[in-house]
Amino acid sequence: MRKKQMIGSIVLGMMMTAACSLPSTPAVHAAASQEKLVTQPLTQKPAVTARSAAVHPAVPIPQEVRVALARNQGRQAEKWRFIPSTHQSVIFTFGGLSKKEPLVHVLDEMKGNGMHGTFFVTERELKRNAENIRLIQSYGQDLGIGLTSIKGGGTAAEYAMQIRRVRDGLQQQYGVTVNIVRQMASSDNEAGMREAASAMKCWFVGQGLNAVQSKDKQAQSADEVMPHIFGKWTTSLNRNEIVYIRTDYYEKPDLAAEVMMAIKHQKVDNIAYAAYGDNPEDNEQNDSAYQIVSVQDVLAHPAELYQYPVESMDLPIEMQLSYGAKSITRTNFRQEFLKRYIGAPEVGATDRMLGFSQKELALADKTGLVKTAAPQTVFLTFDDWGNDDSINKLLYVLRKHRVHATFFVITKNMVHNPNLLRAIVADGNEVGSHTDHHVPMLRVDEKGRSHPIEDDETYRLNVRSSYEKLLEAIGDMTIEGGRPGLTRLMRPPQLAISRNGCAVALDEGFTYLVSGSGSAEDYGAVSMESLEGIMDHIVHKRNGDVRRGAIMIMHMSGTAARTPYALDLLLTKNDQRPEGDPKKFKVGLLGDYLIDGYDQRMVTPKDMREKQIDF
């Protein structure tokens, strides 16, 4: 049974009062720890700080606001593009509530499709659009506080009072207690808004996607609008990304609703795994779909919330960035490399190896096997990074078959979607590094000669930053057995290695450099069936027995679109084999075997030896 990762230190203040006296952002037991998640130190220039703290002579400041600002000590709320949570959802938010007709179109579509969202109410709308606000409530949708810019920039005190007035109005007129604030337009003093939100203990949300572009005001269809909203490579929305739609902007009354539904169909529905009779509509066990929810819906699941970035100094010493670093010398490099390099059959002296001595080339591992693997055990690994529509499908297939894998992540773009990375570990999988920007240790010129691409110091920053980014997202997570979900395993890009590059990686604290015994080459698969055949050939010998210790290399990016389906087929066939069948394999995790004391120089067990591993 899979062990779900529970963030025990993260608790949501579920009870909110009209005075916002209780925090409803993720709290970490002590108030000081809570502020690390909700707020950041004030970084304004001195002149702006003084202005934000000033009291407008014409507006009396209520005692509650004075006390809140004083206690807050100038801290600013984080402006969230996403809610840090592994909840399986995308967040839809709305503004522009002045026109009833487009609002009704939106609400009807949401009701008919089981969608939930947060509708932000400004002070002006609170006074002028009571009918529309009641309409939103009647459809069961959530309300939030819309914060509008004050002429001249405004002060933190003025914005805190605006939050208080809208919050009190929502409570008194609609019985809604809320502490979620959105900045509705640009401001000359966003810092003052953020300070006010922090002082009033509110979530301050922005958006990861603004679905309304000024150029589209007169557009007539969603087909015109969608290319302006999404770039070429945005194939899906991110987990708990905040989408913002202004309902009253378009001249065409039903266009906001049409755009909303186009986003759902094209960028949310495609995240679910749905093929070969297994889809969420027909199979209750298929839990791969993302729901469209409100901010409040996500906050209502405190066990899935987390602090981002993770405070690394609170982690055990063995997780720290510097742990195990500066251990490689000219004297010990050879033995450490040979001990900690798990190679690949196709990588050798004439292919993707640079700078090694003849002795090192001769002794370097070429099996790509974990030599201490338990009987019938193989290892599933995935490289690179991707969007939710590719990675979420893989997670579902792994859950479906109750197996786990090692994900070697390129971290350059991962930082835009840490929720997805945490979801990987929450499912019981482990994570290693595939470097920060996927630059291989060497390149081959037109004459066939190999050269390093980055100098040693640049490559050092590359691999160091990859671990640091992974640490900030998942450093606090453990998997079954209580060990960290973040490993210090690294897979070299393109499986290419240089002597200097390997020395740098090991010297930065990475414990093992892991290539593998076979690549599915799934980025070029011509069919699901042929890809499954390649996968089967990697985990089985020619006689059909399990290739014990085999490490299969797959990819999690959109270019490997057939991978989840082929893997599902492979695992389904394996599940159907009876116990004791020599073809039935088990799936292990590399981090359970590549531990202190493991030495790849050991003699390859007899049952693992093959004259040639041909993939």
Side-chain angles (χ1 to χ4, degrees):
M1 197 65 189
R2 177 176 304 98
K3 181 177 179 180
K4 292 286 186 180
Q5 170 65 27
M6 301 299 288
I7 313 303
S9 61
I10 304 297
V11 182
L12 178 66
M14 295 298 293
M15 299 299 293
M16 299 179 289
T17 66
C20 278
S21 59
L22 292 178
S24 58
T25 48
V28 187
H29 298 306
S33 296
Q34 175 205 12
E35 288 169 349
K36 288 190 293 185
L37 176 60
V38 184
T39 64
Q40 294 182 339
L42 187 64
T43 56
Q44 295 167 271
K45 296 180 181 178
V48 179
T49 303
R51 180 186 185 190
S52 69
V55 177
H56 197 291
V59 181
I61 308 296
Q63 180 67 12
E64 173 202 336
V65 174
R66 289 178 182 274
V67 171
L69 288 167
R71 287 178 176 172
N72 184 60
Q73 297 182 335
R75 286 179 287 270
Q76 296 181 24
E78 178 73 32
K79 186 176 182 180
W80 292 102
R81 297 179 297 103
F82 59 89
I83 298 298
S85 168
T86 56
H87 193 60
Q88 205 162 292
S89 52
V90 174
I91 299 168
F92 273 29
T93 65
F94 302 86
L97 312 181
S98 63
K99 298 178 182 178
K100 183 176 180 179
E101 185 179 1
L103 181 61
V104 170
H105 285 298
V106 167
L107 292 171
D108 282 343
E109 289 287 5
M110 295 183 75
K111 181 178 180 180
N113 288 274
M115 299 160 62
H116 206 214
T118 301
F119 289 73
F120 286 96
V121 181
T122 66
E123 190 169 15
R124 177 174 177 152
E125 289 167 339
L126 195 63
K127 295 175 181 177
R128 299 186 178 187
N129 301 109
E131 180 184 356
N132 289 348
I133 298 171
R134 280 192 291 270
L135 183 65
I136 292 167
Q137 267 199 305
S138 73
Y139 275 79
Q141 301 295 334
D142 288 334
L143 300 176
I145 299 168
L147 198 58
T148 54
S149 182
I150 295 171
K151 187 176 181 180
T155 67
E158 289 173 317
Y159 286 119
M161 288 190 292
Q162 186 181 147
I163 291 172
R164 183 174 181 265
R165 289 192 298 270
V166 178
R167 182 198 62 206
D168 290 351
L170 290 173
Q171 171 64 41
Q172 293 163 11
Q173 297 176 48
Y174 305 99
V176 173
T177 301
V178 65
N179 71 330
I180 300 164
V181 174
R182 186 184 194 282
Q183 176 184 336
M184 303 307 291
S186 60
S187 170
D188 292 335
N189 188 15
E190 183 179 306
M193 288 184 171
R194 292 171 59 184
E195 183 182 346
S198 176
M200 301 303 285
K201 299 188 184 300
C202 293
W203 279 86
F204 190 62
V205 302
Q207 74 269 332
L209 174 72
N210 187 346
V212 176
Q213 304 291 317
S214 59
K215 67 180 77 173
D216 295 322
K217 187 174 181 64
Q218 297 178 324
Q220 295 300 302
S221 72
D223 290 341
E224 294 179 56
V225 177
M226 290 292 281
H228 300 157
I229 300 175
F230 294 99
K232 179 180 178 182
W233 303 110
T234 306
T235 55
S236 67
L237 292 173
N238 296 338
R239 187 172 291 218
N240 292 314
E241 182 175 4
I242 300 172
V243 177
Y244 175 68
I245 300 173
R246 182 176 161 184
T247 69
D248 64 357
Y249 183 75
Y250 299 114
E251 292 185 0
K252 187 183 178 193
D254 62 349
L255 187 54
E258 185 183 339
V259 170
M260 176 186 72
M261 294 308 297
I263 293 172
K264 176 186 184 298
H265 293 319
Q266 298 178 33
K267 307 298 180 180
V268 180
D269 291 349
N270 66 329
I271 295 172
Y273 183 90
Y276 311 111
D278 182 3
N279 64 71
E281 294 182 0
D282 301 329
N283 179 12
E284 292 182 357
Q285 303 303 313
N286 186 331
D287 59 354
S288 64
Y290 279 20
Q291 303 301 313
I292 292 177
V293 301
S294 68
V295 177
Q296 290 91 327
D297 291 333
V298 177
L299 298 183
H301 293 82
E304 296 171 314
L305 295 167
Y306 66 99
Q307 175 181 308
Y308 183 72
V310 170
E311 180 50 71
S312 60
M313 296 307 294
D314 295 339
L315 301 176
I317 183 65
E318 60 269 19
M319 296 296 295
Q320 300 294 330
L321 182 63
S322 59
Y323 183 78
K326 306 301 179 185
S327 61
I328 301 300
T329 66
R330 289 173 179 258
T331 304
N332 71 5
F333 169 76
R334 176 185 289 183
Q335 69 172 8
E336 292 301 317
F337 166 71
L338 295 175
K339 178 170 67 175
R340 298 198 262 159
Y341 171 62
I342 291 82
E346 70 269 30
V347 176
T350 60
D351 185 4
R352 286 172 280 177
M353 294 185 76
L354 170 67
F356 295 93
S357 68
Q358 291 299 316
K359 184 72 171 178
E360 291 164 345
L361 290 171
L363 294 175
D365 179 65
K366 295 177 181 61
T367 68
L369 303 170
V370 177
K371 297 180 180 181
T372 57
Q376 306 297 108
T377 299
V378 300
F379 303 90
L380 307 178
T381 69
F382 300 97
D383 285 2
D384 301 342
W385 187 239
N387 294 322
D388 290 62
D389 60 325
S390 61
I391 294 176
N392 186 61
K393 291 180 175 67
L394 292 172
L395 293 180
Y396 168 70
V397 170
L398 295 173
R399 287 198 305 274
K400 176 180 177 179
H401 297 282
R402 297 181 175 86
V403 298
H404 301 119
T406 307
F407 288 73
F408 289 101
V409 175
I410 300 171
T411 54
K412 180 179 180 180
N413 293 316
M414 178 278 300
V415 294
H416 302 303
N417 194 2
N419 289 341
L420 185 58
L421 185 69
R422 284 188 76 91
I424 290 172
V425 181
D427 271 4
N429 305 293
E430 65 184 5
V431 170
S433 169
H434 201 36
T435 74
D436 186 49
H437 44 273
H438 201 246
V439 174
M441 294 184 194
L442 61 92
R443 65 178 177 86
V444 179
D445 65 21
E446 62 280 358
K447 295 183 179 180
R449 295 173 299 192
S450 297
H451 305 274
I453 297 177
E454 296 182 332
D455 60 68
D456 290 355
E457 194 53 38
T458 301
Y459 195 73
R460 184 178 294 276
L461 292 174
N462 180 357
V463 297
R464 179 188 299 166
S465 63
S466 72
Y467 182 78
E468 185 174 21
K469 290 174 181 178
L470 294 172
L471 189 70
E472 289 180 343
I474 58 171
D476 60 328
M477 300 185 77
T478 58
I479 57 177
E480 192 168 1
R483 71 171 175 86
L486 173 58
T487 72
R488 289 184 183 267
L489 306 177
M490 180 182 137
R491 173 161 286 157
Q494 298 180 15
L495 310 186
I497 58 170
S498 70
R499 196 178 198 278
N500 285 2
C502 290
V504 165
L506 294 173
D507 197 48
E508 279 298 312
F510 287 96
T511 53
Y512 292 90
L513 306 178
V514 185
S515 291
S517 50
S519 173
E521 297 186 353
D522 42 356
Y523 42 80
V526 296
S527 71
M528 187 272 289
E529 292 78 11
S530 65
L531 178 56
E532 189 271 335
I534 295 171
M535 292 177 174
D536 184 81
H537 191 49
I538 292 172
V539 299
H540 291 105
K541 298 179 181 179
R542 289 182 178 83
N543 65 2
D545 292 350
V546 173
R547 183 171 280 124
R548 180 167 72 93
I551 302 172
M552 180 157 60
I553 303 169
M554 296 170 284
H555 297 81
M556 63 183 104
S557 60
T559 57
R562 291 188 169 93
T563 300
Y565 308 105
L567 182 61
D568 190 6
L569 181 58
L570 177 78
L571 294 173
T572 297
K573 290 180 178 179
N574 191 63
D575 291 342
Q576 293 169 348
R577 294 184 178 110
E579 291 300 325
D581 187 331
K583 295 182 179 181
K584 189 178 182 70
F585 59 83
K586 301 175 183 178
V587 178
L589 279 176
L590 291 173
D592 290 333
Y593 290 89
L594 303 181
I595 56 178
D596 287 346
Y598 179 84
D599 192 333
Q600 192 69 357
R601 295 175 298 180
M602 71 180 72
V603 176
T604 303
K606 187 175 182 179
D607 69 303
M608 289 185 176
R609 299 177 198 170
E610 295 181 77
K611 291 183 178 180
Q612 183 180 0
I613 300 177
D614 180 13
F615 300 120

